[in-house]
Amino acid sequence: MGLDEAAQKPHDRLAAWLADDMAAVNALIRTRMASEHAPRIPEVTAHLVEAGGKRLRPMLTLAAARMCGYQGDNHVKLAATVEFIHTATLLHDDVVDESERRRGRPTANLLWDNKSSVLVGDYLFARSFQLMVETQSLRVMDILANASAVIAEGEVLQLTAAQDLGTTEAIYLQVIRGKTAALFAAAMEVGGVIATVPEEQVQALRAYGDALGIAFQIVDDLLDYGGTDAAIGKNTGDDFRERKLTLPVIKAVARADAEERAFWTRTIEKGDQRDGDLAQAMAIMARHGAMAAARDEALHWAETARRSLDILPAHELRDMLSDLADYVVARIN
C-alpha cells in the first residue's frame, strides 16, 4: 500500500493540517524552478516535481516548525529547499541506476537524456542553497549542507557495496542513513531550529527523522520484492535486476548454504541473471525468513521514531507524526 492509497491516513491528515503552508511551498517551488535562459530546466523539473509525489519530506519540515510554535515564513523556504534537494537526488539516482520508471512514469533520463537529468539536478541543488541563504541562519545552512554531503556519500558507498556479497547489515544501514534518512532527519531538525526550541527537542526531532527514514527505506526495499508496480511506482524486482544488496538479500546471503551462495554470486556479483531467477531469489529469502526479519527491523525503527517524540509538547501534529511512523511500516502488512 502506498502512502497515498487511503483517505484519513496520517499522511493525509498531515497534508490537510498543513494545506495552506504546502500551497505556499508549491508556489515557491514553481517560481524557483523556472529558468529564463534554459527552458529545459523547468520541463525536466516539472516532470518529476508534479508527478504526484506526496511531498513527505517538506511536510516534515512544516510539521516540525508548526508543532514547535513557529510563526514566520522561513519554514516555507526550508520545505522547498528540502524538496529541491530530494528532487535533485532522484534525477541523479535515475541516471546512476539506469532507471526507466519513477512514481509510475517514465524517468527524466529516459524522456530526455542523462546529461539533462544530471545538469538539472545540479541546478536544483544550487537553487536549494539559494533558499537556505535566504533564511539567514548559519545553523540551518550547516544542517542542510551536511545532509547533502551525506546523501552523496551514501550513494557512492552504495556503488561499492551494492554487488559485494561481503556487504554487512552495518554497511547497509550506513548506506540508507545516507541516501534516505539524512534528509528526513535534516528536514525535521531545521524545523525545530527556526522555531528556536530547546536543544534536546531539536535533537528529538532529528532522531525522529533519522529513524523514520530508516524504517521508510527498509520498507521500500521489502516492497521491491513484495509490492505491486502501482504501489511502489517502479517495476517489482528492480533492485534484484540492478543487483542491489538490500536488507532482505543481505539476511538471506548470511544464512545461505553453498548452493544458495553460488546463486547469489552468479546473479548479484557476476550479474548473470536468467529467467526465473527473481522467483528463485524470493523463494530463498522466504526459506530463511529474511523478509520477516527485515520487517522486524523496520518495526524497530518505527518504534524508535515514535519514542523520539515523547519529550516534545503535546500537539495534534505530534500525534500525526507518531501515527505516520506506524503507517510507514503498515505498507508491508
Side-chain angles (χ1 to χ4, degrees):
M1 179 167 58
L3 281 174
D4 59 344
E5 193 166 309
Q8 297 307 308
K9 295 298 183 181
H11 183 275
D12 299 295
R13 297 202 304 274
L14 271 175
W17 206 99
L18 298 166
D20 290 344
D21 283 343
M22 277 307 303
V25 171
N26 290 333
L28 183 59
I29 286 172
R30 284 191 292 271
T31 298
R32 297 302 180 94
M33 73 184 189
S35 171
E36 180 182 353
H37 304 294
R40 179 161 295 185
I41 289 173
E43 289 175 6
V44 174
T45 306
H47 174 73
L48 191 52
V49 168
E50 298 175 5
K54 289 301 175 180
R55 304 278 206 272
L56 177 58
R57 292 155 187 82
M59 278 206 295
L60 292 178
T61 297
L62 299 175
R66 289 302 197 191
M67 180 172 58
C68 294
Y70 182 69
Q71 296 298 319
D73 62 2
N74 279 337
H75 66 315
V76 171
K77 294 177 181 177
L78 291 176
T81 296
V82 166
E83 184 66 10
F84 275 155
I85 293 172
H86 177 54
T87 305
T89 61
L90 295 184
L91 287 167
H92 289 169
D93 289 353
D94 286 342
V95 172
V96 171
D97 295 339
E98 299 179 349
S99 300
E100 296 183 353
R101 289 183 68 197
R102 167 74 65 180
R103 295 172 180 164
R105 306 172 74 197
T107 54
N109 51 297
L110 188 66
L111 292 178
W112 286 275
D113 51 55
N114 287 341
K115 292 177 182 178
S116 295
S117 290
V118 171
L119 293 174
V120 172
D122 292 345
Y123 179 83
L124 293 182
F125 268 123
R127 280 299 202 203
S128 73
F129 278 87
Q130 288 176 328
L131 282 165
M132 285 181 223
V133 170
E134 291 177 21
T135 69
Q136 299 183 345
S137 168
L138 281 175
R139 184 168 180 192
V140 159
M141 287 188 279
D142 179 60
I143 291 166
L144 289 169
N146 181 67
S148 299
V150 171
I151 290 166
E153 186 178 42
E155 292 291 350
V156 175
L157 176 59
Q158 181 172 259
L159 282 179
T160 60
Q163 288 123 34
D164 180 0
L165 292 188
T167 295
T168 63
E169 292 188 26
I171 293 173
Y172 168 82
L173 183 60
Q174 188 177 351
V175 167
I176 66 172
R177 265 211 159 100
K179 65 181 288 185
T180 302
L183 192 55
F184 276 67
M188 292 292 296
E189 186 177 5
V190 296
V193 167
I194 61 169
T196 63
V197 296
E199 185 61 25
E200 66 175 0
Q201 293 185 15
V202 172
Q203 293 309 312
L205 292 166
R206 178 176 182 82
Y208 170 86
D210 175 68
L212 182 73
I214 292 171
F216 186 93
Q217 187 59 54
I218 292 173
V219 169
D220 262 18
D221 292 343
L222 282 165
L223 285 173
D224 192 73
Y225 288 101
T228 65
D229 290 357
I232 61 180
K234 59 180 181 178
N235 299 313
T236 302
D238 271 355
D239 286 348
F240 178 76
R241 285 182 285 271
E242 293 167 11
R243 301 159 60 198
K244 289 182 180 177
L245 270 170
T246 56
L247 188 59
V249 177
I250 291 170
K251 287 183 177 294
V253 169
R255 303 169 186 179
D257 59 26
E259 182 179 347
E260 292 166 346
R261 189 169 184 87
F263 169 81
W264 294 121
T265 298
R266 173 175 65 79
T267 57
I268 301 296
E269 284 198 339
K270 296 181 179 179
D272 176 13
Q273 296 188 7
R274 307 163 189 169
D275 289 345
D277 280 347
L278 175 60
Q280 185 174 349
M282 294 174 69
I284 292 172
M285 287 187 284
R287 188 179 309 141
H288 292 293
M291 300 285 283
R295 181 179 180 277
D296 287 344
E297 296 264 354
L299 287 167
H300 161 74
W301 286 107
E303 173 63 20
T304 300
R306 283 196 307 275
R307 288 200 311 268
S308 299
L309 298 171
D310 288 347
I311 71 164
L312 294 164
H315 197 287
E316 285 180 88
L317 288 169
R318 191 186 80 169
D319 296 339
M320 292 178 204
L321 290 171
S322 180
D323 291 345
L324 180 64
D326 283 330
Y327 184 53
V328 161
V329 182
R331 293 184 297 158
I332 51 174
N333 283 343

